[in-house]
Amino acid sequence: MGKITKIVFLDNIKSKIVIVYFCLLALLSWSSMLLQDNETKGALTMLNIVLFIVPLMSLLYTVIYLYDSRNFIVMLLSQPLKRQRVWQSFYLGLSGSLLIAYVLGAGIPVILFSSLQTSLLLLLSGCVVTLVFVSLAFLIATLTSEKTRGIGAALLIWLLLTMIYDSVLLYFVFLLGDYPIETPLMALLMLNPLDLVRFQIILQMDASAMMGYSGAVFKEFLGAAGGMIVSSLLLIIWMALPYAQSLRIFKKKDL
């Protein structure tokens, strides 16, 4: 597994797209931290980068790379190698290259201009988002063999989790505002990994002005400590479950 992981990792770390991703993160991060007059505003801007750009890159790049590497995967499977080892190697190589691009691109300005707690939380959150959406990309690539459909599904999932999901929830909150909907709303919000990351950062920073209605509900029911524990467990599930399902499909799939 180590040799395949190294090949995939080096292939991706030298990719022009990953280099552009690194440069874009560095540009946005330096700009965000230098142009804001306090740490909270800079952290909010960085949070938006984590919630929009990182998922899009992780999903699209991983899906496209897996489809383009189909012949390489078939060649590897013609050797006496277990499918699980091949799939794990691709996951480690792809996620490792994207994680390094994120940490180096966004990490330096965040560490220099934020407190240790805030910088570590932002970096960890970006890494978690990367792993979640790489796992989702692996699942997409196994569910459909057509590259066009896979890219379309990746874009649809990105739009759903970043924009559509919360917009629909807010619409129902507006319609049902006179009813006690806090508990079902909290349960629905916890189904979105990006909402979980948002709550992790906001609860840890105790920035109530940034939380909005949904975050206030989350903190009221779970408290800061409980919210962190529950959201962390759910994020682990979001990282592990899509990959585990993709591996199960990949083991049985006729390539």
Side-chain angles (χ1 to χ4, degrees):
M1 183 173 66
K3 292 182 179 180
I4 303 174
T5 302
K6 183 178 179 180
I7 292 172
V8 175
F9 174 79
L10 293 177
D11 185 39
N12 284 278
I13 206 69
K14 294 184 290 186
S15 169
K16 293 181 181 179
I17 299 177
V18 174
I19 294 174
V20 170
Y21 176 55
F22 160 77
C23 294
L24 178 63
L25 286 175
L27 176 63
L28 292 174
S29 300
W30 280 102
S31 301
S32 301
M33 303 310 295
L34 289 174
L35 295 178
Q36 301 297 338
D37 55 1
N38 62 63
E39 179 184 332
T40 301
K41 291 183 179 179
L44 178 59
T45 306
M46 282 300 303
L47 177 60
N48 289 327
I49 294 173
V50 169
L51 296 180
F52 286 92
I53 296 178
V54 174
L56 179 61
M57 176 63 181
S58 300
L59 264 176
L60 274 183
Y61 180 77
T62 302
V63 165
I64 293 172
Y65 184 84
L66 288 174
Y67 283 115
D68 291 343
S69 302
R70 181 182 178 88
N71 291 335
F72 180 49
I73 294 174
V74 172
M75 186 271 291
L76 289 174
L77 295 179
S78 66
Q79 308 299 317
L81 296 171
K82 293 184 178 180
R83 290 197 172 202
Q84 180 175 346
R85 295 179 60 190
V86 173
W87 206 235
Q88 287 175 349
S89 298
F90 268 80
Y91 184 84
L92 293 174
L94 275 163
S95 59
S97 61
L98 292 173
L99 287 173
I100 287 181
Y102 172 77
V103 171
L104 294 181
I108 296 176
V110 169
I111 292 173
L112 290 177
F113 296 101
S114 300
S115 65
L116 180 61
Q117 178 181 353
T118 301
S119 58
L120 289 178
L121 187 60
L122 285 171
L123 289 177
L124 180 60
S125 298
C127 292
V128 169
V129 170
T130 299
L131 293 174
V132 167
F133 282 86
V134 168
S135 296
L136 288 172
F138 270 68
L139 180 58
I140 292 171
T142 55
L143 288 176
T144 176
S145 299
E146 296 185 20
K147 184 177 181 179
T148 305
R149 288 186 178 181
I151 294 175
L155 289 173
L156 181 61
I157 289 176
W158 178 75
L159 286 172
L160 175 64
L161 295 179
T162 56
M163 302 178 190
I164 299 174
Y165 191 86
D166 284 346
S167 299
V168 172
L169 287 184
L170 287 175
Y171 177 72
F172 280 107
V173 168
F174 176 75
L175 288 180
L176 305 174
D178 296 333
Y179 299 92
I181 59 172
E182 288 82 3
T183 300
L185 176 63
M186 182 188 67
L188 291 173
L189 286 169
M190 288 191 294
L191 296 178
N192 187 341
L194 296 181
D195 280 336
L196 293 173
V197 170
R198 182 186 296 115
F199 296 150
Q200 286 254 1
I201 295 176
I202 292 172
L203 287 173
Q204 192 67 23
M205 293 180 63
D206 198 24
S208 57
M210 296 164 53
M211 295 182 71
Y213 178 77
S214 59
V217 171
F218 195 87
K219 186 173 182 178
E220 178 184 355
F221 272 79
L222 298 177
M228 292 293 288
I229 294 173
V230 172
S231 57
S232 297
L233 291 175
L234 290 172
L235 284 171
I236 292 173
I237 294 174
W238 268 104
M239 285 187 286
L241 190 59
Y243 171 76
Q245 182 67 10
S246 72
L247 178 60
R248 186 185 69 83
I249 298 173
F250 180 72
K251 287 181 177 179
K252 302 177 180 178
K253 190 172 183 178
D254 184 10
L255 300 178

